[in-house]
């Protein structure tokens, strides 16, 4: 199989490395609007690269396309790829408007095509293990999830800081909206979100949120997000990324509470814990029963497993299988992201009925 990359920046480079380890992939062609990047791709990865998008879309040998461009190009590139008969993996956020996200779903269905959105946390061991525990009944019915996410700021004069990637919820938080939907397995009926004034003066998008989702089965999911408190992180190539940020304010964890037990995921502690609930003559009992940790060499597989996602998408396209996450399912996550932005903007609860 020949695979195309559309918008081959940093994420595109990561996907190219994954594809070069994929047994179904015979060759790769990358498209980017920058001549300098095209030259770099040829030299660094020894692949075909071009500034002409039709070199990818009109190549009958290209069966699968990975859209790794900036968010504002996702919808157009998806439409063109689907209309050209290609299987498509599009990175999140799905699109910068809800209307475009819905049109992407409709275009997929009109073409009987393949479209999967890059919610790679559904492949990441830290979160798939929680799903296994839930499916095995170890947590009972999930009734509450709480996500705490504290990160450092994006640089000035980038498309993300300028808001060109769409609202913050879609760009930064859609993963952490998607996971509770996947774990709980119920529709969201309403959301309330609030934001304080920005701490980062050059940001166009909001840099903080408190958001609460209510599910049809009664479960609640809450997200606390702040982008300013964590220490400034520029990255030291001689140190492990997680170890550099651990203890300096960076936080990314979930607490998942069920009727029979609970789980906690913690990226910076490299840990996954599970508790069992019980009864005694005088009180409710919670017992810590399991802890799973991993080595830094496995960080990628545990909390942002784009490698297995890439391999799986290629396999599915090659074998004519449907996407692991249907596009309408991904659209539901995006609907919740845009509803959170609406609530934060207008200051009220947003009811969510199927549209």
């Amino acid at each position: 199989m020949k695979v195309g990359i559309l918008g081959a920046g940093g994420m595109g480079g990561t996907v190219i490395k994954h594809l070069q380890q994929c047994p179904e992939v015979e060759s790769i062609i990358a498209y980017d609007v920058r001549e300098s990047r095209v030259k770099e791709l040829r030299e660094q990865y020894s692949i075909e690269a071009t500034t002409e998008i039709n070199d990818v879309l009109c190549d009958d040998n290209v069966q699968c396309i990975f859209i790794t461009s900036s968010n504002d190009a996702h919808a157009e590139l998806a439409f063109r790829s689907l209309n050209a008969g290609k299987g498509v993996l599009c990175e999140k956020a799905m699109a910068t408007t809800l209307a475009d996200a819905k049109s992407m779903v409709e275009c997929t269905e009109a073409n009987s095509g393949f479209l999967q959105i890059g919610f790679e946390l559904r492949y990441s061991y830290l979160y798939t293990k929680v799903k296994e525990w839930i499916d095995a009944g170890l947590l009972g019915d999930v009734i509450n999830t709480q996500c705490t996410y504290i990160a450092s700021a994006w640089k000035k004069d980038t498309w993300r800081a300028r808001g060109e990637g769409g609202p913050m919820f879609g760009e930064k938080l859609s993963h952490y909206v998607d996971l509770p939907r996947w774990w709980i397995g119920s529709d969201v009926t309403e959301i309330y979100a609030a934001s304080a004034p920005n701490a980062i003066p050059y940001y166009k998008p909001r840099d903080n949120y408190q958001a609460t989702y209510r599910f049809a089965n009664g479960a609640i999911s809450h997200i606390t997000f702040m982008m300013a408190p964590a220490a400034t992180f520029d990255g030291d190539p001689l140190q492990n990324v997680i170890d550099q940020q651990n203890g300096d304010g960076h936080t990314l964890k979930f607490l998942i509470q069920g009727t029979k037990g609970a789980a906690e995921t913690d990226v910076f502690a490299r840990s996954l814990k599970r508790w069992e609930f019980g009864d005694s003559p005088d009180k409710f009992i919670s017992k810590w029963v399991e802890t799973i940790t991993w080595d830094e060499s496995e960080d990628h597989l545990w909390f942002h497993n784009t490698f297995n996602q890439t391999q799986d998408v290629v396999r599915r396209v090659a074998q004519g299988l449907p996407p692991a996450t249907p596009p309408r399912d991904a659209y539901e996550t995006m609907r919740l992201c845009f509803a959170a932005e609406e609530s934060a903007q207008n200051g009220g609860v947003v009811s969510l009925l199927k549209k």
Side-chain angles (χ1 to χ4, degrees):
M1 177 192 293
K2 188 174 184 179
V3 177
I5 305 289
L6 301 185
M11 188 62 200
T14 297
V15 172
I16 289 168
K17 292 176 185 177
H18 297 339
L19 291 170
Q20 289 178 327
Q21 300 178 63
C22 187
E24 292 92 345
V25 175
E26 297 175 353
S27 61
I28 302 166
I29 179 170
Y31 157 77
D32 200 275
V33 296
R34 300 163 295 174
E35 287 277 7
S36 59
R37 179 57 175 163
V38 165
K39 182 176 183 293
E40 187 177 65
L41 290 164
R42 291 169 181 159
E43 294 173 351
Q44 184 174 356
Y45 300 107
S46 300
I47 63 169
E48 188 179 352
T50 178
T51 57
E52 297 294 330
I53 190 170
N54 284 334
D55 290 346
V56 181
L57 297 180
C58 296
D59 187 337
D60 292 337
N61 293 317
V62 174
Q63 299 177 47
C64 183
I65 282 177
F66 285 75
I67 298 174
T68 54
S69 66
S70 58
N71 300 344
D72 56 347
H74 283 182
E76 180 185 354
L77 294 177
F79 296 147
R80 295 185 67 174
S81 300
L82 290 163
N83 287 330
K86 315 299 186 184
V88 177
L89 183 287
C90 179
E91 286 300 325
K92 64 86 188 164
M94 193 171 183
T96 57
T97 70
L98 191 58
D100 277 348
K102 186 175 183 181
S103 294
M104 288 167 67
V105 175
E106 292 169 346
C107 183
T108 305
E109 293 173 348
N111 284 283
S112 298
F114 180 106
L115 173 64
Q116 184 165 322
I117 304 303
F119 288 128
E120 76 271 5
L121 300 195
R122 294 195 185 200
Y123 291 86
S124 301
Y125 301 164
L126 184 58
Y127 306 113
T128 59
K129 189 64 178 179
V130 173
K131 186 73 163 71
E132 289 175 15
W133 286 343
I134 292 168
D135 291 346
L138 296 180
L139 304 188
D141 296 327
V142 176
I143 56 175
N144 192 300
T145 73
Q146 298 183 36
C147 175
T148 304
Y149 187 10
I150 302 174
S152 53
W154 292 320
K155 292 182 178 180
K156 296 179 179 178
D157 198 30
T158 59
W159 58 267
R160 288 184 174 91
R162 292 193 298 267
E164 294 168 7
M168 178 71 77
F169 247 88
E171 160 56 28
K172 193 72 172 172
L173 301 180
S174 52
H175 283 310
Y176 311 105
V177 174
D178 187 65
L179 280 175
R181 286 191 58 245
W182 186 47
W183 289 331
I184 293 169
S186 177
D187 291 334
V188 173
T189 58
E190 60 185 21
I191 175 173
Y192 175 75
S195 296
N198 274 14
I200 304 170
Y202 58 85
Y203 266 27
K204 184 175 180 181
R206 296 178 178 89
D207 65 11
N208 68 93
Y209 295 91
Q210 301 285 338
T212 300
Y213 291 89
R214 183 183 297 278
F215 290 79
N217 67 356
I220 293 290
S221 180
H222 185 78
I223 296 174
T224 295
F225 173 74
M226 292 180 284
M227 209 161 186
T232 298
F233 175 68
D234 293 323
D236 181 346
L238 300 180
Q239 298 184 60
N240 178 272
V241 171
I242 295 302
D243 291 338
Q244 289 177 69
Q245 297 173 89
N246 187 28
D248 68 0
H250 286 82
T251 302
L252 181 48
K253 62 169 63 177
F254 266 98
L255 182 63
I256 304 102
Q257 179 178 312
T259 54
K260 294 182 180 179
E264 181 189 68
T265 71
D266 193 330
V267 166
F268 290 96
R270 290 195 180 96
S271 74
L272 172 59
K273 298 177 181 179
R274 183 171 66 85
W275 290 260
E276 287 180 355
F277 297 159
D279 194 16
S280 76
D282 58 2
K283 67 176 181 179
F284 171 92
I285 294 173
S286 180
K287 182 182 179 182
W288 179 14
V289 293
E290 188 171 359
T291 300
I292 300 172
T293 60
W294 65 91
D295 183 77
E296 66 180 53
S297 64
E298 297 181 315
D299 279 348
H300 183 85
L301 298 174
W302 277 87
F303 57 82
H304 268 303
N305 194 354
T306 54
F307 178 81
N308 282 4
Q309 175 180 258
T310 299
Q311 301 270 313
D312 186 49
V313 167
V314 169
R315 179 184 64 84
R316 288 174 179 274
V317 172
Q319 297 180 11
L321 300 173
T325 304
R328 284 201 174 270
D329 190 10
Y331 171 74
E332 282 303 306
T333 292
M334 296 312 303
R335 219 165 57 95
L336 303 190
C337 291
F338 280 97
E341 294 287 352
E342 179 185 345
S343 179
Q345 179 66 33
N346 298 331
V349 174
V350 174
S351 294
L352 288 146
L353 301 174
K354 290 284 188 180
K355 295 181 181 178

